[in-house]
């Protein structure tokens, strides 16, 4: 590509241009999202280098796609053949751990779990735990405002970011937010960058709020026949216990994970759904309290069977029943929906979606699981063997339109935690008003007048 040699000279470094390599840097995990190998990949090592690269690209209107680890599920990090991909994988230093303020300053390429591990020896933790936490980067987590299994207690990524260092498309470097807890000084620009998926600027450093490390915890898996009753169970447990997770999955999801991974089923009775909940041992009587709540739910007929972990290793094994679902489903090339509605409306919504799929798409198998404590449902449609990938995809696009309409009716969101990227942009209007979309376009123009930062993502 024409700009590559000039940019190499300008930066004094070599770019990656071998298409076998650039293609792996030019997409995330999203199935069905289009991409082509970028013109070049810059493995950035310093903020100054990024600044020079962005100023260069801005002047020549070269599209820039920022990449963390590529763990996204919406095509937000997908590139095309005109783009420069800037990978942050080499910028992976924990710059500072400040125990007194429970803060860490990190480069954007630090892996989520590496930060959590590094702060453990100080009795602290980094708690947002996206399913990809073993390999996703903090920069990517911030850019997508990633969620996870324990958000019900600890919140999503945005609740843990204090400040960001961002390179603007002009090459200018700005600091937004503050390491101090309070700084009420007009507009909060930092939160514009969180969840903006690389469309406003390039996040190269973050100041992260840590927390006291969680206490030992117990995990329960409960068998529930009706989805509405899972919500009753959630309401009942969360009234009396400070839950750190409340997840659910269907019997179909459990069957698939057990046969794929060889895990042990938690108990003999089969039920349509399972709730997995976790609580920390924060007071001496907490286990008795949890057992009393369990018995209360059994007495009311909501819970049919259940198990509580007797050790940390059993707790880990119970978690695997939920955590391994996503990886298990890849073999069916699933079409993923990551949606949210208010907890009180989830049961009706789920029934409406099941009805819709049963009537109009009887060939499709739908697998439900998700972070029900947050109202976040993962609806994966599995590709029937008889369908080609294209046939399957175009039918799923129709389903998504109908689900979008239902979400609008239920005042829900077309994306809960996976972001919008390429895959959900056509449905964004079901969650955000025309006025909001126009305001977002104005903000984009203000930060990125030459339209080079991850163009084509989120909205046109
Ligand atoms: C999960 O909750 O397992 C993740 O969001 C990944 C997925 O939905 O596939
Ligand atoms: Zn999830």
């Amino acid at each position: 590509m024409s700009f590559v040699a000039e940019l190499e000279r300008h930066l004094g470094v070599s770019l990656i241009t071998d298409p076998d390599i650039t293609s792996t840097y030019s997409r995330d995990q999203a199935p069905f999202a289009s991409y082509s190998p970028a013109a070049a990949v810059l493995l950035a090592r310093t903020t100054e280098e990024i600044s020079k690269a962005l100023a260069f690209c801005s002047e020549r209107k070269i599209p820039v796609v920022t990449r963390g680890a590529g763990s996204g599920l919406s095509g937000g990090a997908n590139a095309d053949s005109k783009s420069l991909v800037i990978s942050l994988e080499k910028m992976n230093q924990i710059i500072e751990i400040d125990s007194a303020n429970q803060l860490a300053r990190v480069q954007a390429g630090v892996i989520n779990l590496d930060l959590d591990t590094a702060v453990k020896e100080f009795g602290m933790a980094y708690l947002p735990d996206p399913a990809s936490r073993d390999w996703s980067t903090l920069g990517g987590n911030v850019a997508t405002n990633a969620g996870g299994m324990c958000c019900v207690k600890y919140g999503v990524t945005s609740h843990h970011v204090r400040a960001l260092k961002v390179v603007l498309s002009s090459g200018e470097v700005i600091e937004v937010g503050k390491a101090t807890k309070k700084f009420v000084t007009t507009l909060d620009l930092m939160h514009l960058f969180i969840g903006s998926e690389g469309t406003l600027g390039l996040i190269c450093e973050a100041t992260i709020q840590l927390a006291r490390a969680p206490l030992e915890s117990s995990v329960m898996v409960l068998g529930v026949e009706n989805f509405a009753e899972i919500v009753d169970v959630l309401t009942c447990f969360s009234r009396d216990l400070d839950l750190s997770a409340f997840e659910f999955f269907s019997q179909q999801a459990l069957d698939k994970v057990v046969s794929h991974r060889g895990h042990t089923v938690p108990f003999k009775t089969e039920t349509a759904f399972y709730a997995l909940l976790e609580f920390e041992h924060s007071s001496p009587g907490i286990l008795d309290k949890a057992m009393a709540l369990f018995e209360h739910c059994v007495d009311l007929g909501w819970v049919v069977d259940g198990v509580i972990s007797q050790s940390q290793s059993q707790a880990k094994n119970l978690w695997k029943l939920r955590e391994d679902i996503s990886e298990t489903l890849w073999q069916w090339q699933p079409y993923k929906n990551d949606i949210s509605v208010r907890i009180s409306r989830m049961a009706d919504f789920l029934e409406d979606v099941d009805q819709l799929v049963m009537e109009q798409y009887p060939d499709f198998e739908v697998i439900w699981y998700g972070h029900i404590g947050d109202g976040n449902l993962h609806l994966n449609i599995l590709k029937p063997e008889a369908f080609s990938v294209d046939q399957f995809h175009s039918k799923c696009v129709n389903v998504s339109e109908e689900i979008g309409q239902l979400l609008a009716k239920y005042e829900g969101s077309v994306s809960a935690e996976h972001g919008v990227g390429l895959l959900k942009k056509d449905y964004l209007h079901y969650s955000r008003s025309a006025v909001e979309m126009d305001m977002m376009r104005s903000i984009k123009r203000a930060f990125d007048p030459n339209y080079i930062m991850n163009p084509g993502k989120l909205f046109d």
Side-chain angles (χ1 to χ4, degrees):
M1 272 314 252
S2 51
F3 74 83
V4 176
E6 202 188 337
L7 181 57
E8 285 183 323
R9 271 197 307 279
H10 185 65
L11 299 177
V13 298
S14 299
L15 303 178
I16 302 172
T17 52
D18 174 348
D20 286 343
I21 305 175
T22 55
S23 65
T24 62
Y25 281 92
S26 300
R27 61 167 306 185
D28 62 19
Q29 292 267 294
F32 311 112
S34 60
Y35 76 100
S36 28
V41 176
L42 167 65
L43 300 181
R45 287 174 193 274
T46 62
T47 301
E48 294 67 40
E49 198 174 59
I50 295 170
S51 160
K52 276 172 96 173
L54 287 185
F56 176 97
C57 290
S58 213
E59 222 167 80
R60 292 158 184 80
K61 297 198 169 43
I62 298 162
V64 175
V65 179
T66 310
R67 180 185 177 82
S71 61
L73 289 165
S74 296
N78 285 16
D80 66 22
S81 59
K82 295 193 183 71
S83 321
L84 172 72
V85 168
I86 301 185
S87 163
L88 276 294
E89 71 187 49
K90 301 284 181 210
M91 291 181 59
N92 60 0
Q93 297 305 305
I94 298 175
I95 302 163
E96 180 191 3
I97 295 174
D98 171 355
S99 323
N101 292 294
Q102 295 196 320
L103 292 178
R105 200 152 61 86
V106 298
Q107 288 188 312
V110 170
I111 307 288
N112 179 314
L113 190 61
D114 289 349
L115 175 62
D116 190 47
T117 308
V119 300
K120 257 200 183 85
E121 66 172 290
F122 302 96
M124 297 186 291
Y126 177 63
L127 295 165
D129 59 343
S132 58
R133 80 176 315 202
D134 293 6
W135 63 291
S136 60
T137 63
L138 288 163
N141 290 175
V142 174
T144 57
N145 196 8
M149 313 274 176
C150 291
C151 296
V152 70
K153 176 161 181 179
Y154 296 114
V156 295
T157 303
S158 63
H159 298 119
H160 302 262
V161 182
R162 285 279 194 83
L164 296 173
K165 186 186 271 189
V166 179
V167 187
L168 298 177
S169 63
S170 59
E172 214 166 323
V173 182
I174 59 166
E175 308 246 2
V176 284
K178 281 260 177 280
T180 60
K181 216 168 211 163
K182 291 179 165 177
F183 68 101
V184 180
T185 46
T186 74
L187 299 188
D188 179 354
L189 295 181
M190 180 184 81
H191 279 94
L192 285 178
F193 290 96
I194 302 176
S196 67
E197 301 188 33
T199 60
L200 299 184
L202 191 153
I203 297 165
C204 56
E205 221 176 274
T207 303
I208 297 289
Q209 176 70 64
L210 303 166
R212 167 184 65 67
L215 304 169
E216 195 177 309
S217 54
S218 288
V219 173
M220 273 182 161
V221 175
L222 309 174
V224 182
E225 208 42 74
N226 298 306
F227 185 84
E229 287 167 350
I230 296 195
V231 179
D232 293 331
V233 174
L234 169 63
T235 312
C236 175
F237 269 87
S238 51
R239 224 174 5 227
D240 279 358
L241 287 188
D242 194 12
L243 295 175
S244 46
F246 195 97
E247 299 281 316
F248 94 109
F249 44 93
S250 64
Q251 175 67 47
Q252 288 97 319
L254 179 66
D255 282 344
K256 288 187 163 40
V257 111
V258 165
S259 85
H260 177 63
R261 289 301 193 114
H263 297 326
T264 314
V265 284
F267 39 78
K268 291 240 156 53
T269 328
E270 283 198 0
T271 47
F273 299 103
Y274 298 88
L276 182 153
L277 60 90
E278 184 183 65
F279 56 91
E280 290 173 31
H281 297 178
S282 51
S283 63
I286 199 138
L287 284 170
D288 292 341
K289 207 189 246 180
M291 285 313 291
L293 289 167
F294 168 69
E295 276 154 25
H296 178 66
C297 292
V298 172
D299 287 347
L300 289 172
W302 297 338
V303 169
V304 179
D305 207 343
V307 62
I308 182 164
S309 59
Q310 302 297 322
S311 64
Q312 289 309 290
S313 80
Q314 200 189 354
K316 261 197 181 139
N317 288 339
L318 290 173
W319 259 117
K320 283 185 186 150
L321 300 172
R322 163 64 186 93
E323 287 172 342
D324 291 349
I325 296 171
S326 183
E327 189 273 328
T328 297
L329 297 184
W330 282 117
Q331 57 189 294
W332 284 276
Q333 297 173 279
Y335 186 90
K336 290 180 158 301
N337 285 282
D338 156 53
I339 53 200
S340 62
V341 291
R342 239 191 289 175
I343 291 168
S344 54
R345 310 190 77 183
M346 274 190 306
D348 290 341
F349 174 76
L350 187 132
E351 205 179 303
D352 279 358
V353 174
D354 273 343
Q355 182 82 11
L356 170 90
V357 176
M358 213 160 55
E359 277 169 14
Q360 299 190 36
Y361 309 94
D363 303 324
F364 286 175
E365 185 180 6
V366 168
I367 304 289
W368 289 100
Y369 57 97
H371 318 288
I372 198 171
D374 297 319
N376 180 179
L377 302 166
H378 291 316
L379 184 170
N380 281 232
I381 306 174
L382 308 189
K383 188 180 90 56
E385 247 176 63
F387 278 58
S388 71
V389 171
D390 286 348
Q391 266 174 332
F392 176 60
H393 181 235
S394 61
K395 260 201 153 180
C396 286
V397 167
N398 296 339
V399 185
S400 283
E401 278 298 334
E402 304 198 53
I403 290 176
Q405 286 162 22
L406 271 179
L407 282 165
K409 183 177 128 197
Y410 280 88
E411 298 171 326
S413 179
V414 295
S415 168
E417 61 171 11
H418 293 175
V420 170
L422 279 177
L423 286 187
K424 303 298 169 196
K425 71 183 249 200
D426 290 343
Y427 314 109
L428 191 53
H429 67 98
Y430 289 119
S431 294
R432 310 297 293 267
S433 69
V435 176
E436 275 185 295
M437 301 278 290
D438 276 348
M439 289 172 101
M440 288 195 267
R441 287 187 186 99
S442 305
I443 291 167
K444 165 84 176 158
R445 269 195 300 278
F447 280 106
D448 181 24
N450 290 335
Y451 203 68
I452 64 158
M453 300 306 296
N454 213 5
K457 312 291 167 36
L458 311 191
F459 43 77
D460 289 319

